[in-house]
Amino acid sequence: MSLKIQGFILIDVDVVALNNAGKSNSSNFDNAMATKKIYKNGKAYTYVSGQAWRYWWRDTLQKNYGWDLSPVIRDKKIAFTAANPITFADDDVFGYMKAAKEVKTDDQGEPVLSKGGKEQKVDVTVTRSSPLRNSAIISVAATRTVENWSSMARQEGDSVPYSKEEYSAVMKGMFSLDMGQVGTFASYNKTGFKNLTEKLRAEALAGGATELADPFVKDGKGNAHQLVQLPKEVRIQRMKDTIGALKTISGGAMQTNNMADVTPKFIVLATTTTGNHPFSHIAKNGGAYQENAELNIAGLEEVLTDYKEQLKGTVYIGKRNGFMDEYHEVLQALADKFDNVELCSVNQAIDQYCAQVENQVE
């Protein structure tokens, strides 16, 4: 059984422009920057792209958790990482695609030549679907942005004005981390499944990785293909680092003038047996103009009831004191009602959930 880590977060930001969309097409000013927004039911919602969130995440893992990030190789108009998930944890957790050919070598490491004397090449294309999947971070409620002036001004000369869109919002995001996929790789040739070259597979096994049968993919004779798996302690640490990074995650545009804390102020962490994310609607908009961010307590209780068979272990709900305090009592009542729910602070929820992960990894 491949378990999934399911996370849902809320961040609370004021006067920010976290993810810009380039030159504004709606401004009367030439030097105007638009923020990213999307429309639903006729209302505007600001958002941070999923790609930007992943950049924050990867950057935090490098700076706060000592991850040595996979180097980026650029070739004309394409770019790819080292595609080495054995050495680089970010290649493992965030995935990659590398389409390339390498010179074929013999047992002595010398290039194998064709009859015409040219070096023969072998296809070393590898892909890895990211075990970490995340949404965009989008405002829970409809958001009206404002266009404000700023200026580049120094001691001499005229100032150079520009404008940017700013907003305040409670924003939601969700993610999923496949526990069975972290640190486990396929080397057989199937589209989207070949994570390792033969050379890297051999290096991984020589370095302590082991093989196990793939329960889902078999060859033409009915024999299970073999997966390569890193030691258990390595896989656990990569998962714990990934979830733990949420405690200190930072990022976003305009932070020099619009600094904001983008760590979660509310978080739900749970382990499920299925890949669907059940917590997507536990925050909702409300009010006459759909501009109030609210917790959907009835929706959360419904998820805990309807998916009780898919939930494994404790569901940790973390809330920062001072954020949506009006929900504290009803959340505590919910935690008291369900044996598998615990309410605590955000960082306590992350730490206790990571401790639970240690016992859930096979």
Side-chain angles (χ1 to χ4, degrees), residues 58-233:
R58 198 188 296 251
D59 190 55
T60 301
L61 285 164
Q62 179 187 40
K63 293 176 179 175
N64 297 353
Y65 286 80
W67 279 27
D68 183 17
L69 299 187
S70 181
V72 176
I73 298 101
R74 299 185 185 278
D75 183 10
K76 297 179 181 178
K77 294 184 178 181
I78 64 172
F80 45 81
T81 68
N84 182 346
I86 310 301
T87 300
F88 301 106
D90 64 318
D91 270 347
D92 179 7
V93 172
F94 291 86
Y96 50 79
M97 182 175 71
K98 177 182 178 182
K101 291 185 177 181
E102 291 182 349
V103 175
K104 185 177 181 180
T105 57
D106 58 22
D107 294 339
Q108 286 70 45
E110 298 297 326
V112 176
L113 303 180
S114 66
K115 293 181 179 178
K118 294 184 178 180
E119 294 179 340
Q120 293 187 29
K121 293 188 175 181
V122 292
D123 189 352
V124 292
T125 297
V126 286
T127 61
R128 177 165 173 79
S129 178
S130 171
L132 176 65
R133 299 176 174 91
N134 62 276
S135 69
I137 303 176
I138 187 168
S139 59
V140 175
T143 304
R144 283 182 285 189
T145 63
V146 294
E147 184 179 12
N148 284 327
W149 278 103
S150 294
S151 66
M152 182 277 181
R154 295 294 184 271
Q155 293 84 353
E156 296 181 358
D158 296 333
S159 61
V160 179
Y162 62 96
S163 74
K164 56 187 175 181
E165 279 189 291
E166 299 169 327
Y167 56 91
S168 296
V170 174
M171 308 177 79
K172 64 179 180 180
M174 58 183 181
F175 64 90
S176 175
L177 182 62
D178 191 324
M179 297 170 71
Q181 194 180 350
V182 174
T184 304
F185 315 104
S187 58
Y188 45 81
N189 193 16
K190 184 178 180 181
T191 303
F193 283 82
K194 186 172 182 178
N195 308 144
L196 303 177
T197 62
E198 283 303 312
K199 178 181 179 182
L200 201 54
R201 171 181 172 276
E203 290 178 1
L205 294 174
T210 56
E211 285 189 311
L212 74 160
D214 188 324
F216 302 110
V217 184
K218 296 179 172 56
D219 62 19
K221 298 180 180 179
N223 300 316
H225 280 288
Q226 296 297 303
L227 298 168
V228 176
Q229 189 169 69
L230 295 179
K232 184 177 179 179
E233 61 272 18

